[in-house]
Amino acid sequence: DNLIYKHDKSNLKTQENIKFINKYNFDMYIEFHCNAYNCQVKGTETLYTSNNSESSILAAIVHHEIVKGYDRIIKHDRGIKYLWDFDRGHANLINLKCPAIIIEPFFIDSDWDYNTYGVALQHKLIQAILNSIEQFEQHLKHKLDAKNQPSGV
């Protein structure tokens, strides 16, 4: 079962959002942002923090699928980035119990990036996220199976 939760982005609601997500023990949390900078920068990046040891794995899986689905050229793959204490988005993720990431698949202020990846190829973004969820759930299942394996087997 999947739950899609649209949270209130105001800073006043951040703690309420975190409590809600933690209360329902989500398997993962993927927050969608649209990047913006100077109307010229293009690219896809995925952000994570140290809230959960699996967050970097989730980030790698999701980022790979988005870049592959978009068929991004190397110069537009901005990579996977660790969020430090005062980085944008850090407060949204750091207190979550589940693996949590922020995806920034395109720059909304770049007409080319937005029209190509935000509009024309949005079906590829959706498919990439669905593929990522399936892959990460398989990863968690294999990890749980290995943990429950009797010793000496």
Side-chain angles (χ1 to χ4, degrees):
D1 294 341
N2 293 312
L3 172 66
I4 297 175
Y5 169 64
K6 182 186 180 296
H7 72 81
D8 184 322
K9 69 177 188 165
S10 72
N11 288 335
L12 298 174
K13 299 282 186 176
T14 298
Q15 291 305 317
E16 290 176 36
N17 294 329
I18 290 168
K19 285 178 187 174
F20 176 85
I21 293 162
N22 286 339
K23 176 182 176 182
Y24 290 100
N25 200 27
F26 285 23
D27 291 336
M28 71 193 84
Y29 177 79
I30 301 172
E31 186 168 304
F32 180 90
H33 288 198
C34 296
N35 224 336
Y37 182 62
N38 66 2
C39 299
Q40 296 175 15
V41 177
K42 303 171 186 76
T44 296
E45 60 188 16
T46 304
L47 313 170
Y48 75 98
T49 190
S50 60
N51 72 302
N52 182 295
S53 62
E54 299 289 321
S55 291
S56 63
I57 295 168
L58 176 61
I61 291 170
V62 173
H63 187 80
H64 172 78
E65 285 297 314
I66 292 172
V67 170
K68 180 177 81 172
Y70 274 170
D71 197 24
R72 281 277 196 189
I73 58 175
I74 296 296
K75 72 178 186 175
H76 295 152
D77 177 358
R78 296 174 54 84
I80 300 165
K81 298 179 180 174
Y82 180 82
L83 290 174
W84 297 98
D85 286 350
F86 297 103
D87 287 340
R88 70 193 187 289
H90 182 268
N92 300 13
L93 304 183
I94 192 63
N95 292 312
L96 292 173
K97 294 177 185 174
C98 63
I101 63 170
I102 295 173
I103 59 171
E104 296 184 328
F106 54 87
F107 278 73
I108 199 164
D109 65 343
S110 162
D111 287 343
W112 182 85
D113 221 30
Y114 173 72
N115 289 326
T116 303
Y117 297 105
V119 177
L121 297 177
Q122 64 182 284
H123 62 285
K124 292 193 178 218
L125 174 61
I126 293 165
Q127 190 60 55
I129 293 169
L130 292 173
N131 292 346
S132 301
I133 290 169
E134 290 174 3
Q135 287 179 38
F136 190 70
E137 286 176 341
Q138 285 298 315
H139 163 75
L140 293 177
K141 182 182 180 310
H142 290 308
K143 187 176 174 182
L144 183 62
D145 289 348
K147 182 180 176 183
N148 292 330
Q149 193 72 266
S151 60
V153 174

